[in-house]
Amino acid sequence: MKLGVPREVHPGERRVAATPDSVRQLVGMGFEVAIESGAGLGARFSDADYAAAGAQIEADPERIWAGSDLVLKVREPEGHPELGRHEAELLRAGGRLISFIWPATQVDLVERLRSRRATVIAMDQVPRITRAQSMDALSSMANIAGYRAVVEAASRFGRFFTGQITAAGKLAPARVLVIGAGVAGLQAIATARAMGAVVRAFDTRPAVREQVQSLGASCLEVPLVEDGEGKGGYAKEMSAAFIEAEMALFRAEAPELDVVITTALVPGKKAPLLWTRDMVEAMRPGSVVVDLAAEQGGNCELTQAGEVIEHAGVQVVGYTDLVSRAATTASQLYAQNIVNLVELLGDASQFRVDLTDEIVRGATVLHEGEVLWPPPARPTPVAPAAVPKSPEPAAAAPTAPPSPPSKVVAAPRAGRGWLVALCLAAVWVGLRAYADAIPASPALTQFLQHLTVFVLACFVGWQVIWSVTAALHTPLMSVTNAISGIIILGGMLHVSGELGSADTLLGAAAVFFAAINVAGGFLVTQRMLRMFRR
Amino acid sequence: MGESLLIIAYLAASVLFILSLRGLSSQATAARGNAYGIVGMAAAILATAWAASGSGYVLLALAVGGGAAVGAVMAARVAMTSMPELVAMLHSFVGLAAVLVGLASYMGESGHEGAARSIFLVEVFLDVFIGAITFTGSLVAFGKLKGILSGRALLLPGRHLLNLALLGLALAMLVPYLSADGTSGLIPLLVCVGLAGLLGVHLVMAIGGADMPVVVSMLNSYSGWTAAAAGFMLGNDLLIITGALVGSSGAILSIIMCRAMNRSIISVMLGGFGQTSSKPSTSGPRADTPTETREVSVRDTAQKLLAARRVVIVPGYGMAVARAQHAIFQITELLRERRVDVAFAIHPVAGRLPGHMNVLLAEAAVPYDIVFEMDEVQDEFARTDVALVVGANDIVNPAAETDPESPIWGMPVIHVWEARETIICKRSRASGYAGVDNPLFYHERTAMLFGDALEVMEAVVQELRNP
């Protein structure tokens, strides 16, 4: 049985579907492998390497396409620039093809292949189940994209990623935000961390939180509780309230960030818009945004697919060939994914497309001219943690299909605040009613007015203090100490009396002690606060 | 004219105080918050002085100036490790001032008739009562924190009855006090002050050292309620507002501290934490637990730290006592220069004051963004190579989660034992404030580094400098 590997014709594509190493494995399985001359050059594999691995070098692409029982490719077939024909038409009638296909958007391509009565297995449709991980080319590629995104960002960023203390001064670490903690996002986190940056991540799925933390990054969190886990481990659409909160969070973070890497993709749809123009403008000049969703329309409002633009001093990187920029590694991983898939289909003597196998069934788009895509739906994962390897992208997708109404739970603290408010209000109303019931007494009315003020102040204090960070509890205490020195007013009111009278002297003593408090409390707070630094 | 200006000044001061507390919610805005407080206080004092038309300006200036000078000197001199004492001391001044103001109001009372007089008298009574408790309670807390008094809980037989009796007697003073004419009720009022003072002493004496953060925040709260009571007495809204703010602040802090120890505020107030649990410490570790500890040298500690990729430092009161925070900062810097990821894990009740450890680390210039609360780093110990515990004990005691009979059962603790290795710097094998034995010391991945925290940490710095 003959396998053929044509050269990729897409402009800028440097990957190849087989490496000398994968050829060696395929030959070991009994296949004959033919590879187009120069197919591996972009990934730095020479024809001689392939020949040494046991491949036959073929100069004519038409003979590769027509002469092979199974064609292995990276990019979906497209118009061949030199031959002036569509690659799908080069495939022999009833031939087989394994490559990326993207059947959801490539309707025309699927039709062309159907008319060839082809059997087509799409690498992008391999189900994301545990057993299929070794064939999961999307994860392989996402991994590279995540790595490469950080490399691009670092090379364009005018500062170090790592913080350093040098003889010439201290360098602050770069602050990186990764949106979407799928495979690409997690790799971006790990790479940026390895380079010493301070990394934060955002994802709508609570299940990935631990993964983010295990890489040493912290999670940005939206103060609403909503689970973004959707079908097949992808993120699902979030409620409008959630998206609003998310955008507010991003907006607040933007001025603090040096590098933003967005990785939010929704399969077969336009990428959600997450990083708007004003967020870019809020970033410091010299900052870098890398948009991994550039090809699908971009997560960043300013992204130009395939280009780097500069806006308000911020570079927005919209490369669509990030994976190809690491062509050697990308080819190595992709070729191995293919070898693993071919191994599942069977070696040369018993090769067959077994549609009873879940993985084969899921990935097969066409079988002998019959369209099998989309495959029957699989249930959602039972436990989010059981998702094989956290798959590609995540983040709010305003355009995603309708999903069951999501539960939005307000933070519990607000509930308690309301309870306290209600109780206080009830007490106040009760007292008020009591005061109205008895003959008007100015003293009592006055007392009630004071009580009103008191209750309101308690409430305000209660609301304000909860937000104080634990690290500042000691300064809080010393400042409240100083403030409670307000008792000094009580003393002062008495000092104005007759000199030498008991109440004047007592008042003066009170003023003295309270003044210690006021001065001591404020000064010591100031002293403490001056020490807190980043 | 004068009246309305005063009202405006008071309103401004109230708003500024709220902004001040609000500002303290994050490090970035905290300094501004303090400034708001100062401006608010200045406005209130100046407006009051201006409105009080009288002959007492010289006396007033002397009292304010003298007090401010004393306060300034105290604030400038105090070591950060002595912050708890200072805070306790300042609380006592508020209490004392409140008592004095109350007495002065009583002595200078005039013009109240009928129901108004009764309300006023009760307000005075409440003010001096709370003020006296705050005053003596804070003094005892000060003594305990300073080490003048024993940190152990003093548990008199029938102490709850005693408290009730004191309270009842003090309240009973209301009867002769209210029925007296003019200022002749002074004697019962003073008796009440004395009884409240005794109550304050006894309440705080009965609370163990480990509960000090709660006590200090509780007294903070009391000092606020005292000011609020004075506000009622004087019909001054600013005092009421400020007192209420401070009172809620202290109350919330107490609640936070209690939660951090998994104890109810009632049980803390009733005291006895440090005493009832003394049995395990005297009888030693139980038979079924291993008793061998593994010791580690300073040199090996430095090696382990250098070999680590991530180090989490857990400071405790021992660090404060030994003043080892500067040495620890040097260790942090040296490790960070060598690409070791260093973080600090702070237990909410570490130290003797809420946020005490944060202040000490800040004093030593440890950047606050590597200082985390317990919950923030709890999950990260599994990928931590070395957990370095300096002068902490109860807050890293796994018995709180494993031994239902342990007195600290249920208290949230820092999971240092999940790290690849835990090094505990400790003066001796003795148990912590709670008097509970710590199985962590006998854990197979735990190494003990015995010695004074300061000396040991400085030795580690030397090793790191010249490995």
Side-chain angles (χ1 to χ4, degrees):
Chain A
M1 187 171 167
K2 280 188 81 169
L3 308 186
V5 181
R7 188 168 55 85
E8 296 296 319
V9 296
H10 188 84
E13 181 56 75
R14 288 184 283 273
R15 287 172 293 177
V16 59
T19 61
D21 190 48
S22 81
V23 168
R24 213 168 279 126
Q25 294 179 57
L26 292 168
V27 169
M29 283 187 250
F31 294 105
E32 283 175 57
V33 182
I35 186 159
E36 185 178 340
S37 176
L41 284 183
R44 312 282 171 198
F45 300 120
S46 69
D47 288 351
D49 294 336
Y50 285 108
Q56 195 186 326
I57 311 300
E58 175 61 69
D60 181 1
E62 288 186 81
R63 292 185 59 178
I64 295 275
W65 279 98
S68 305
D69 299 302
L70 172 62
V71 175
L72 306 179
K73 225 182 118 30
V74 181
R75 286 247 172 195
E76 63 273 20
E78 58 184 277
H80 199 295
E82 285 139 48
L83 300 174
R85 288 170 67 193
H86 198 285
E87 284 180 318
E89 279 146 28
L90 297 175
L91 187 70
R92 78 171 181 219
R96 304 189 190 95
L97 169 69
I98 299 180
S99 78
F100 281 122
I101 298 295
W102 309 107
T105 46
Q106 300 282 349
V107 182
D108 178 55
L109 172 67
V110 173
E111 178 52 33
R112 279 175 193 268
L113 290 166
R114 196 190 62 77
S115 66
R116 304 294 293 170
R117 283 184 294 107
T119 297
V120 178
I121 296 177
M123 290 304 281
D124 49 286
Q125 296 300 318
V126 171
R128 314 198 92 157
I129 58 177
T130 311
R131 193 164 60 90
Q133 272 188 68
S134 63
M135 305 157 214
D136 188 349
L138 288 181
S139 289
S140 304
M141 297 302 112
N143 184 4
I144 293 169
Y147 177 86
R148 205 54 215 186
V150 174
V151 172
E152 291 295 336
S155 74
R156 294 181 174 276
F157 184 51
R159 293 184 4 220
F160 274 22
F161 261 34
T162 185
Q164 246 184 31
I165 292 155
T166 77
K170 191 175 166 184
L171 303 176
R175 298 183 158 261
V176 177
L177 171 67
V178 176
I179 303 178
V183 179
L186 290 173
Q187 179 58 259
I189 292 168
T191 309
R193 281 287 301 152
M195 291 174 76
V198 176
V199 184
R200 282 194 272 183
F202 178 85
D203 196 293
T204 55
R205 297 161 300 165
V208 300
R209 193 192 151 99
E210 270 177 30
Q211 299 172 19
V212 168
Q213 287 172 344
S214 72
L215 292 171
S218 54
C219 280
L220 274 188
E221 292 194 50
V222 167
L224 285 173
V225 181
E226 189 174 338
D227 189 337
E229 186 81 44
K231 203 166 65 173
Y234 281 91
K236 71 166 171 62
E237 170 198 37
M238 307 302 285
S239 70
F242 186 92
I243 292 169
E244 198 175 300
E246 174 188 316
M247 293 307 232
L249 183 67
F250 289 164
R251 209 157 272 136
E253 285 293 316
E256 294 280 303
L257 295 169
D258 297 312
V259 172
V260 174
I261 294 172
T262 66
T263 72
L265 287 176
V266 182
K269 292 204 180 288
K270 193 177 176 309
L273 180 63
L274 299 171
W275 204 257
T276 58
R277 176 186 292 266
D278 65 302
M279 294 178 197
V280 173
E281 283 162 0
M283 295 172 77
R284 276 185 295 245
S287 303
V288 182
V289 176
V290 180
D291 190 341
L292 290 189
E295 202 161 3
Q296 281 74 31
N299 295 133
C300 173
E301 194 175 350
L302 299 170
T303 298
Q304 301 281 332
E307 284 173 40
V308 181
I309 61 128
E310 189 162 326
H311 179 83
V314 177
Q315 299 179 71
V316 181
V317 180
Y319 288 148
T320 52
D321 61 344
L322 278 174
V323 174
S324 220
R325 284 168 182 256
T328 308
T329 303
S331 303
Q332 186 194 331
L333 296 181
Y334 185 76
Q336 192 59 49
N337 290 141
I338 289 213
V339 168
N340 294 336
L341 180 61
V342 170
E343 202 167 21
L344 177 75
L345 295 168
D347 61 21
S349 56
Q350 44 196 314
F351 184 91
R352 107 189 155 85
V353 177
D354 175 11
L355 292 176
T356 58
D357 184 287
E358 188 185 3
I359 297 172
V360 178
R361 176 64 190 86
T364 304
V365 174
L366 284 163
H367 188 244
E368 291 166 8
E370 185 192 348
V371 180
L372 294 181
W373 188 88
R378 289 188 70 241
T380 30
V382 179
V387 175
K389 192 175 175 190
S390 169
E392 188 32 341
T399 55
S403 58
S406 37
K407 265 191 288 180
V408 179
V409 186
R413 181 149 297 160
R416 194 177 46 200
W418 283 112
L419 197 71
V420 173
L422 269 177
C423 291
L424 292 180
V427 168
W428 185 83
V429 168
L431 279 167
R432 207 56 221 226
Y434 174 70
D436 291 343
I438 60 171
S441 146
L444 194 62
T445 318
Q446 204 192 9
F447 173 77
L448 276 176
Q449 271 165 4
H450 290 321
L451 196 65
T452 309
V453 171
F454 175 72
V455 168
L456 280 176
C458 282
F459 184 64
V460 169
W462 184 264
Q463 292 292 315
V464 167
I465 304 293
W466 275 113
S467 67
V468 172
T469 162
L472 290 175
H473 280 163
T474 298
L476 171 71
M477 207 161 249
S478 60
V479 113
T480 52
N481 227 313
I483 291 179
S484 63
I486 193 74
I487 189 96
I488 196 171
L489 299 191
M492 288 172 74
L493 294 175
H494 288 288
V495 175
S496 55
E498 206 178 316
L499 269 183
S501 71
D503 66 318
T504 305
L505 289 178
L506 285 170
V511 168
F512 174 78
F513 284 115
I516 297 181
N517 238 20
V518 172
F522 280 127
L523 288 175
V524 85
T525 310
Q526 203 171 17
R527 215 181 119 194
M528 272 189 279
L529 291 177
R530 220 177 281 141
M531 299 180 316
F532 280 94
R533 68 176 184 96
R534 264 186 172 160
Chain B
M1 171 60 200
E3 181 73 4
S4 57
L5 197 68
L6 193 64
I7 290 175
I8 290 171
Y10 280 3
L11 182 65
S14 311
V15 171
L16 283 165
F17 288 154
I18 293 172
L19 287 177
S20 169
L21 297 181
R22 178 81 209 164
L24 281 168
S25 60
S26 84
Q27 282 94 338
T29 55
R32 205 183 320 149
N34 194 41
Y36 283 142
I38 295 175
V39 174
M41 186 59 78
I45 292 178
L46 289 178
T48 311
W50 182 77
S53 54
S55 53
Y57 278 119
V58 177
L59 184 59
L60 194 60
L62 276 178
V64 172
V70 173
V73 169
M74 280 169 71
R77 291 253 176 95
V78 66
M80 281 304 140
T81 42
S82 311
M83 270 313 290
E85 291 98 295
L86 178 73
V87 169
M89 184 59 122
L90 291 177
H91 287 150
S92 76
F93 290 151
V94 176
L96 182 57
V99 172
L100 293 173
V101 170
L103 294 178
S105 296
Y106 187 71
M107 301 298 287
E109 189 270 333
S110 61
H112 291 101
E113 295 283 329
R117 183 177 152 84
S118 302
I119 291 179
F120 170 77
L121 286 179
V122 172
E123 285 166 347
V124 169
F125 190 83
L126 269 182
D127 175 70
V128 298
F129 182 73
I130 308 176
I133 292 185
T134 311
F135 175 53
T136 56
S138 300
L139 279 184
V140 172
F142 171 78
K144 283 195 169 197
L145 290 165
K146 187 94 186 161
I148 303 171
L149 298 169
S150 156
R152 290 254 135 155
L154 170 77
L155 298 182
L156 299 176
R159 60 186 196 281
H160 301 321
L161 271 179
L162 189 63
N163 286 339
L164 280 177
L166 284 172
L167 185 68
L169 276 176
L171 287 179
M173 286 303 131
L174 261 175
V175 180
Y177 163 75
L178 282 179
S179 55
D181 294 326
T183 56
S184 60
L186 189 62
I187 302 295
L189 190 60
L190 285 176
V191 172
C192 163
V193 168
L195 289 169
L198 273 179
L199 185 59
V201 169
H202 183 241
L203 274 177
V204 178
M205 282 305 283
I207 298 175
D211 284 336
M212 270 307 162
V214 188
V215 174
V216 176
S217 17
M218 232 162 58
L219 292 168
N220 185 247
S221 183
Y222 287 170
S223 73
W225 304 133
T226 306
F232 275 104
M233 176 175 81
L234 300 166
N236 184 317
D237 281 342
L238 179 59
L239 275 175
I240 297 179
I241 292 173
T242 314
L245 286 176
V246 175
S248 351
S249 157
I252 288 172
L253 282 180
S254 314
I255 293 172
I256 292 176
M257 293 303 115
C258 281
R259 266 191 210 155
M261 294 193 294
N262 190 38
R263 311 192 62 214
S264 77
I265 189 122
I266 307 289
S267 72
V268 171
M269 286 171 67
L270 295 181
F273 193 38
Q275 198 68 23
T276 50
S277 58
S278 62
K279 210 179 80 199
S281 70
T282 50
S283 62
R286 286 182 311 188
D288 56 341
T289 52
T291 52
E292 287 295 302
T293 56
R294 185 161 61 90
E295 282 194 43
V296 64
S297 69
V298 166
R299 171 174 283 270
D300 288 349
T301 302
Q303 297 294 330
K304 285 174 198 291
L305 290 175
L306 280 177
R309 284 175 59 211
R310 182 178 161 85
V311 173
V312 175
I313 302 177
V314 182
Y317 190 54
M319 178 189 86
V321 173
R323 290 160 205 256
Q325 65 268 32
H326 296 281
I328 288 174
F329 170 66
Q330 287 176 318
I331 292 176
T332 309
E333 287 288 272
L334 288 165
L335 290 177
R336 271 156 65 101
E337 278 168 32
R338 291 174 169 84
R339 296 278 178 289
V340 181
D341 182 10
V342 184
F344 286 81
I346 310 292
H347 193 281
V349 294
R352 292 290 171 270
L353 196 62
H356 193 191
M357 291 297 127
N358 300 87
V359 169
L360 295 181
L361 292 176
E363 185 201 15
V366 173
Y368 63 72
D369 51 5
I370 62 167
V371 180
F372 298 96
E373 284 171 50
M374 172 172 72
D375 295 340
E376 292 178 300
V377 287
Q378 195 72 293
D379 302 337
E380 293 182 20
F381 279 101
R383 53 174 205 88
T384 296
D385 300 296
V386 178
L388 179 62
V389 179
V390 184
N393 187 347
D394 297 330
I395 59 171
V396 293
N397 192 339
E401 297 188 350
T402 55
D403 179 8
E405 280 166 34
S406 169
I408 59 169
W409 162 250
M411 166 172 148
V413 289
I414 299 179
H415 291 177
V416 288
W417 56 89
E418 285 172 8
R420 211 151 292 151
E421 174 145 37
T422 306
I423 298 175
I424 300 179
C425 172
K426 211 171 172 307
R427 191 191 297 271
S428 69
R429 258 173 257 263
S431 51
Y433 237 124
V436 188
D437 196 47
N438 193 338
L440 179 65
F441 300 162
Y442 316 109
H443 195 283
E444 55 186 357
R445 290 202 302 263
T446 300
M448 304 297 288
L449 182 59
F450 286 120
D452 175 74
L454 180 61
E455 284 165 23
V456 170
M457 288 299 122
E458 280 179 343
V460 172
V461 171
Q462 286 310 315
E463 280 296 328
L464 289 176
R465 284 232 170 89
N466 319 300

